[in-house]
Amino acid sequence: MLKSWGAFLGFVFMMITGMVSAGCGDPVKGFFMPREYQAFFESPFSGQREALLEFPIEKQIDIYLYGVKVYHPPRVDLAFVIARQGPKVIAPLLARLKQENDDHTRSDLMEVLAAVRIVNPQFRYDQDVIQYLEEVTHAMNNANAKRLSEDSLRILKSERPEREVLPRP
């Protein structure tokens, strides 16, 4: 029995060591953070906003989602870094929203869409986009994600979005 237990522990240790050295990340900081994200989040905070903009928009969205889901404290500020790029980020955000099945992820993406409206108050979303986001929100099963998405929709429809605040639980 001891021999098989020792073999099992050796195997587990080897797998963890292999994953970390292969680039799956640092197990201490957020459950196997990908190296690319690890480098970003370990860089000086003052330069992270500029560093995020060096990535393609799809990777910026990935880093933002990782930052709000895994990183502590959640990096909701990254939504505004993405949003400051203006309406050009909307198509990739909507494309990603259509791919996602998780209510929390959808809600996080809708927060970036609301941030676009807050930092660009003159911008208005097309009614078909609003209708799609209402349908996504209505279909959510998670009450907390649904509430946050409803808050994002309120901002998207607001006449004075710059006065709105994205609430967090």
Side-chain angles (χ1 to χ4, degrees):
M1 179 78 177
L2 183 60
K3 187 175 184 178
S4 62
W5 180 248
F8 172 74
L9 288 177
F11 174 75
V12 169
F13 177 75
M14 185 177 68
M15 291 298 295
I16 291 172
T17 304
M19 288 190 309
V20 171
S21 65
C24 293
D26 182 350
V28 176
K29 292 190 177 183
F31 201 72
F32 298 111
M33 185 185 304
R35 272 201 180 150
E36 199 170 20
Y37 302 173
Q38 184 176 357
F40 173 80
F41 287 110
E42 288 182 354
S43 67
F45 184 79
S46 60
Q48 286 181 359
R49 293 173 186 219
E50 294 78 26
L52 184 65
L53 297 174
E54 294 175 11
F55 291 100
I57 185 61
E58 291 79 10
K59 184 63 74 175
Q60 292 177 38
I61 294 168
D62 290 341
I63 291 170
Y64 160 74
L65 289 172
Y66 188 88
V68 295
K69 292 186 174 308
V70 180
Y71 202 79
H72 185 74
R75 294 295 307 277
V76 295
D77 61 305
L78 299 177
F80 287 91
V81 175
I82 294 171
R84 283 189 182 93
Q85 297 172 72
K88 72 178 184 177
V89 302
I90 294 170
L93 285 165
L94 289 173
R96 181 66 178 267
L97 187 66
K98 290 177 183 178
Q99 295 173 359
E100 294 294 338
N101 295 319
D102 178 67
D103 287 349
H104 288 287
T105 302
R106 287 178 165 191
S107 176
D108 292 332
L109 292 168
M110 287 181 64
E111 285 185 3
V112 182
L113 291 167
V116 170
R117 181 83 168 94
I118 290 170
V119 300
N120 302 285
Q122 73 286 354
F123 176 75
R124 303 258 186 220
Y125 282 92
D126 294 335
Q127 190 56 39
D128 57 331
V129 172
I130 296 290
Q131 183 178 348
Y132 170 70
L133 296 174
E134 287 173 337
E135 291 168 5
V136 167
T137 301
H138 181 72
M140 289 182 176
N141 294 316
N142 183 285
N144 190 43
K146 189 173 203 166
R147 180 185 58 81
L148 292 171
S149 295
E150 288 168 348
D151 290 338
S152 293
L153 274 170
R154 180 179 43 78
I155 292 168
L156 293 171
K157 297 174 183 180
S158 175
E159 292 296 318
R160 304 283 309 265
E162 69 277 12
R163 294 181 182 226
E164 303 287 344
V165 176
L166 284 170
R168 290 302 281 179

